[in-house]
Amino acid sequence: MYIGELARLTGATPKALRHYEALGLLGEVRRAGAYRRYSQQDLAQVTLIRQAQALGFRLAELLPILAGIDTDWAALGRHIAAKRLQLHEEIARLQALDARLQAIDGEIKDCLQRA
């Protein structure tokens, strides 16, 4: 498949796909003349990249794993644990913000009832 079809199937832009290739996340991409030809393996790889990004992983974090440089599953587990910790911290921050907003909303309602 060509870059346009891969982009359509994965939701990635052609520019992002070329960037993944330049970083080495897709390995060697075959060419038909000047056109890139992507395989089903490339489709699966881009889908995995997009899912990992949606979970908060940066491309730099994915590179050692997807390029085959670092297949240390324990290291990947630590990465996931660190991402989960960041997520829990963000949830706590947002819950505290929500509680403050709720308190302010309550104060405003009290003021309106007294007026």
Side-chain angles (χ1 to χ4, degrees):
M1 76 189 82
Y2 293 108
I3 197 166
E5 184 178 359
L6 183 62
R8 183 182 56 78
L9 291 172
T10 61
T13 65
K15 182 178 179 179
L17 296 171
R18 287 188 288 274
H19 184 62
Y20 299 161
E21 180 185 354
L23 290 174
L25 291 169
L26 295 180
E28 186 76 25
V29 175
R30 294 178 305 142
R31 296 195 182 262
Y35 297 98
R36 292 170 171 85
R37 297 277 305 177
Y38 296 94
S39 66
Q40 290 298 319
Q41 175 63 32
D42 295 323
L43 173 63
Q45 191 86 333
V46 171
T47 301
L48 178 63
I49 292 167
R50 302 273 296 160
Q51 289 172 343
Q53 285 184 302
L55 293 171
F57 284 90
R58 296 181 345 246
L59 293 177
E61 294 171 314
L62 297 174
L63 182 60
I65 298 161
L66 296 180
I69 298 166
D70 179 9
T71 55
D72 182 356
W73 292 104
L76 180 58
R78 287 190 298 275
H79 258 49
I80 290 171
K83 287 292 176 194
R84 293 189 70 216
L85 179 61
Q86 290 172 358
L87 178 65
H88 289 287
E89 290 169 352
E90 182 68 8
I91 289 169
R93 186 188 71 76
L94 291 171
Q95 286 174 332
L97 178 61
D98 183 50
R100 288 194 312 249
L101 289 170
Q102 188 175 12
I104 292 169
D105 187 44
E107 291 172 14
I108 291 170
K109 286 178 181 172
D110 287 344
C111 289
L112 290 173
Q113 286 178 352
R114 286 186 223 139

